[in-house]
Amino acid sequence: MREIENKKLLTIIAPGELQRMVVEQLKKRGIGGYTVVAASGAGTSGLRSGMLVSDSSVILYVIMSEERLREVLVDMDQFMSRGYRVKAFYQDISILPRKEAKPKSGEAVTD
Amino acid sequence: MIGSAASNLLDPAVLFFVLGAGIGLLRSNLEIPSALARFLTLYLLIALGLKGGAALSTGGLPAEGILAIGAAMGMATFVPAYAFYLLSRRIDPFDSAAIAATYGSVSAVTFITAQQFLTARDVDFGGYMTVAMVLMETPAIIMAVFLATMVRSRQAVAKAASAPEYDEAFEPLSTREVLREALTDGAQLVLIGSLVIGYLAGTEGKEELLPFTSGIFKGMLAFFLLEMGLLVGRQISEGRAKLDKALFAFSFLSPPVNAAIALVLAYMIGLQVGDAVLLAILASSASYIVVPAVVRYAIPEARPGVYFTMALGLTFPFNILIGIPLYFAAAEYVWP
């Protein structure tokens, strides 16, 4: 079995209109993999019914290392300082990686 | 006027809007799947574009059309300018810039409903009015971004000492990026593309697509207005506490004022009554799809709960229920 890795799962809730901007910022940090889910709800910005493009939210899930997480959180902080209505929170996760870790020299590869 | 308003209120599409609003205000559990709602938006824009393009291919772009487009562009510049001037004296300047952009732009659904209103009364209008609608979207956004940048610069000077230092990888938004966002909006591109297809396909294409653009159109519009009514009802019940009296007044007073200015302009340049009413509708409506989406990106400091609620929750129903018959009655009274 593959070796379980400890990672961080960052969850970003943002207006749908800002998805492209958030993703482009993630790319600048070298992150190309993410999952997006359409969402609706309500908050200080009012109702987000999801019925119109201008009225929809998205949830982005990104798995990354702790070092990279800190950089991304700085970016999210900058977004918020500018007034963008995004929420970001993270949690520790244990993940079964898709790619197997490269065996150390002298170590046997097992099935 | 009263007869015109009453017959408008008894239009099935408008009645569905009222039904939706009532259901929304009652906080009923009715849900319209968001994918269906988005499909209906695209359907209406495609039908609008195809019909406008087909009309342009047969009628061309006469001098009257060029004048109407010029008047529309003039209104799209004038409305945000005066709106910002008035509002920024009372409320946050970023909110003012966002509202200016929203009201300087147009509501495609109000425009479509007005076209239906005119068609039901056998009043002609030109396909170039759809071109005018498309062109009115951008000037207000550009002006609002310019106004917001101006406000931001003033505030940055005042707060220079405490301004946060940006990370190297975090570049500030450029006007070019904002314009790209505005000009590549999906709804806008679909509308422009449909207009071009309608123009290229001409009369033959129009005949082939009649069941799509006309046969089911009224029913689809009724369904869409049910959904919009639902959204309006929920927006009103969720967001009314966030607006002060000045914003309430602006939401209800600016549409007839803008419409009156547009009608005077239309009369002066010699537009026919149908075009004049559509120009009034374009000038009096506020965008709640394209512009709020761009403003959220370009003016993040503005509160969406304010400009979106005003455009969708107050001005949109005002125009659908009262504005369209009111502007039509005014035009009928003035035009020979």
Side-chain angles (χ1 to χ4, degrees), chain B residues 24-336:
Chain B
L25 284 169
L26 288 171
R27 300 188 180 212
S28 156
N29 62 354
L30 177 68
E31 289 295 336
I32 294 175
S34 57
L36 184 61
R38 291 182 186 204
F39 162 77
L40 286 171
T41 309
L42 287 178
Y43 166 77
L44 290 176
L45 290 175
I46 290 171
L48 173 66
L50 287 173
K51 283 198 268 192
L56 269 180
S57 75
T58 47
L61 186 59
E64 196 183 359
I66 295 168
L67 286 173
I69 290 170
M73 296 293 279
M75 289 303 294
T77 314
F78 170 69
V79 171
Y82 97 78
F84 180 79
Y85 178 77
L86 287 180
L87 291 169
S88 60
R89 292 161 173 258
R90 278 196 70 116
I91 63 164
D92 177 79
F94 289 115
D95 282 343
S96 304
I99 296 168
T102 310
Y103 280 78
S105 190
V106 296
S107 154
V109 181
T110 312
F111 182 74
I112 290 168
T113 311
Q115 281 191 339
Q116 281 294 118
F117 179 92
L118 294 174
T119 305
R121 284 156 186 79
D122 292 323
V123 178
D124 289 333
F125 50 84
Y128 43 80
M129 292 312 292
T130 308
V131 178
M133 195 203 88
V134 170
L135 293 176
M136 277 183 87
E137 203 86 61
T138 321
I141 295 173
I142 295 171
M143 186 168 276
V145 169
F146 166 73
L147 292 169
T149 307
M150 194 178 72
V151 174
R152 220 171 271 137
S153 306
R154 281 185 194 161
Q155 291 191 353
V157 170
K159 294 178 184 174
S162 60
E165 288 177 16
Y166 291 126
D167 190 275
E168 277 180 13
F170 204 101
E171 293 156 13
L173 274 184
S174 66
T175 309
R176 194 178 164 185
E177 283 175 302
V178 173
L179 281 179
R180 186 193 67 173
E181 200 70 18
L183 297 173
T184 60
D185 179 83
Q188 187 81 339
L189 291 179
V190 164
L191 177 59
I192 295 169
S194 305
L195 195 64
V196 173
I197 292 169
Y199 179 77
L200 294 175
T203 315
E204 201 177 314
K206 183 187 170 187
E207 294 295 322
E208 283 176 18
L209 290 169
L210 265 182
F212 179 76
T213 55
S214 295
I216 59 168
F217 186 80
K218 191 73 191 274
M220 296 289 255
L221 178 63
F223 198 169
F224 186 72
L225 285 179
L226 169 74
E227 177 218 329
M228 293 309 298
L230 191 62
L231 201 52
V232 166
R234 287 182 179 157
Q235 278 290 337
I236 290 174
S237 56
E238 288 273 341
R240 59 186 158 191
K242 290 170 188 145
L243 299 181
D244 68 19
K245 284 177 190 168
L247 294 178
F248 261 104
F250 186 86
S251 307
F252 292 121
L253 291 178
S254 74
V257 168
N258 295 344
I261 296 168
L263 285 175
V264 170
L265 201 56
Y267 190 80
M268 284 167 60
I269 59 177
L271 295 186
Q272 56 172 321
V273 68
D275 293 344
V277 173
L278 289 180
L279 183 67
I281 282 295
L282 290 174
S284 64
S285 66
S287 171
Y288 53 83
I289 298 180
V290 177
V291 174
V294 178
V295 163
R296 207 175 248 276
Y297 173 76
I299 315 176
E301 301 91 336
R303 293 171 297 163
V306 171
Y307 59 83
F308 185 72
T309 306
M310 285 172 70
L312 180 68
L314 304 175
T315 298
F316 176 68
F318 173 83
N319 276 331
I320 294 288
L321 300 175
I322 300 167
I324 295 172
L326 177 69
Y327 314 147
F328 177 68
E332 263 198 327
Y333 183 76
V334 174
W335 262 253

Side-chain angles (χ1 to χ4, degrees), chain A residues 15 17-18 20-21 24-25 28-29 42-56 74-75 78-79 81-85, chain B residues 34 37-38 165-167 169-173 180-181 184 227-228 231 234-235 242 288-289 292-293 296-297 300-305 308:
Chain A
E17 306 93 298
L18 302 184
R20 186 159 74 179
M21 187 176 73
E24 280 177 8
Q25 194 60 32
K28 285 181 185 170
R29 296 296 186 188
T44 50
S45 304
L47 187 68
R48 307 283 290 166
S49 73
M51 288 158 90
L52 301 171
V53 178
S54 54
D55 185 29
S56 306
V74 169
D75 291 343
Q78 297 279 13
F79 277 138
S81 298
R82 288 180 180 191
Y84 288 114
R85 286 157 169 83
Chain B
S34 57
R38 291 182 186 204
E165 288 177 16
Y166 291 126
D167 190 275
F170 204 101
E171 293 156 13
L173 274 184
R180 186 193 67 173
E181 200 70 18
T184 60
E227 177 218 329
M228 293 309 298
L231 201 52
R234 287 182 179 157
Q235 278 290 337
K242 290 170 188 145
Y288 53 83
I289 298 180
R296 207 175 248 276
Y297 173 76
E301 301 91 336
R303 293 171 297 163
F308 185 72

